Amino acid sequence: SQQGEEDPQALSIQEGENATMNCSYKTSINNLQWYRQNSGRGLVHLILIRSNEREKHSGRLRVTLDTSKKSSSLLITASRAADTASYFCATVHVINTGTASKLTFGTGTRLQVTL
Amino acid sequence: KAGVTQTPRYLIKTRGQQVTLSCSPISGHRSVSWYQQTPGQGLQFLFEYFSETQRNKGNFPGRFSGRQFSNSRSEMNVSTLELGDSALYLCASSVEQGANTGELFFGEGSRLTVL
């Protein structure tokens, strides 16, 4: 089952506007990551935020994490047509200290950026 | 540095057949994870291998199996194929395994169609 739920499921904006996607999860995490996927392709890692961090930036990306609300948001500023893709949050939760953990993906947000 | 390579990229099988998918991780990466992606279920974790040992397994039937070789290359096998096995199978590699799971590097996937 999915760990995370993303909101909205689909988002359509014009080039130059900002896009905000939200992710909620259910159990305590070690870190949360955001990935991007162009249609039918593999996923590309965007950014990782650890459970003791509240905000992180990378270029036009800004990620926030609120562990008390079990939620995260991804903001893409000044969007471009090339940002059109699906965006997934993925959570890492420790199963046993020092042993296997895994990435559990959310349902994804489909972003469409039009000219 | 070469990325994660998955073969074949596309394949068509009929119900009851079996299939083997291959994944070559990035050089130096010892962890390989497999995911199944379908429109209905999203990205579902199949299993993770680290140093030739299966470290974690998702909730899939025993028809789904995998292995990892000493050079970190991995294969997954699906036996007695069902229509519902039609999906994009994604392989991802990473340097570390366990509680420090960081960025995953994904291949382009193998798209399996079961007729």
Side-chain angles (χ1 to χ4, degrees), chain B residues 18-51:
Chain B
Q18 67 135 18
V19 66
T20 299
L21 308 178
S22 179
C23 172
S24 293
I26 291 172
S27 178
H29 286 192
R30 295 164 63 191
S31 172
V32 173
S33 300
W34 288 89
Y35 288 83
Q36 180 198 65
Q37 185 177 30
T38 60
Q41 297 297 315
L43 280 153
Q44 301 283 327
F45 173 77
L46 281 157
F47 25 66
E48 179 195 6
Y49 288 87
F50 184 82
S51 294

Side-chain angles (χ1 to χ4, degrees), chain A residues 51-104:
Chain A
S51 59
N52 60 354
E53 297 175 310
R54 292 295 167 259
E55 188 170 313
K56 209 160 181 182
H57 297 255
S58 177
R60 295 184 295 114
L61 306 179
R62 173 178 168 253
V63 169
T64 60
L65 178 64
D66 187 335
T67 53
S68 65
K69 294 182 180 178
K70 292 188 170 57
S71 67
S72 173
S73 68
L74 170 67
L75 168 67
I76 304 174
T77 60
S79 62
R80 306 165 182 168
D83 294 329
T84 295
S86 290
Y87 292 82
F88 295 88
C89 70
T91 51
V92 176
H93 45 283
V94 180
I95 299 171
N96 292 299
T97 301
T99 62
S101 60
K102 62 181 182 181
L103 238 60
T104 306

Side-chain angles (χ1 to χ4, degrees), chain A residues 1-2 30-31 33 35 37 40-43 45 48 50 88 92 94-95 98-105, chain B residues 9 35 37 41-45 48 55-58 88 90 97-99 101-104 106-108 111:
Chain A
S1 62
Q2 304 288 353
N30 176 276
N31 68 66
Q33 303 175 32
Y35 287 80
Q37 183 181 36
R41 307 290 297 276
L43 281 78
H45 181 267
L48 180 155
R50 300 198 182 279
F88 295 88
V92 176
V94 180
I95 299 171
T99 62
S101 60
K102 62 181 182 181
L103 238 60
T104 306
F105 284 86
Chain B
R9 287 292 313 279
Y35 288 83
Q37 185 177 30
Q41 297 297 315
L43 280 153
Q44 301 283 327
F45 173 77
E48 179 195 6
R55 294 293 187 177
N56 202 355
K57 191 176 189 302
L88 181 66
L90 291 163
Q97 171 265 341
T101 297
E103 176 182 358
L104 293 186
F106 281 83
E108 293 292 346
R111 182 165 295 282

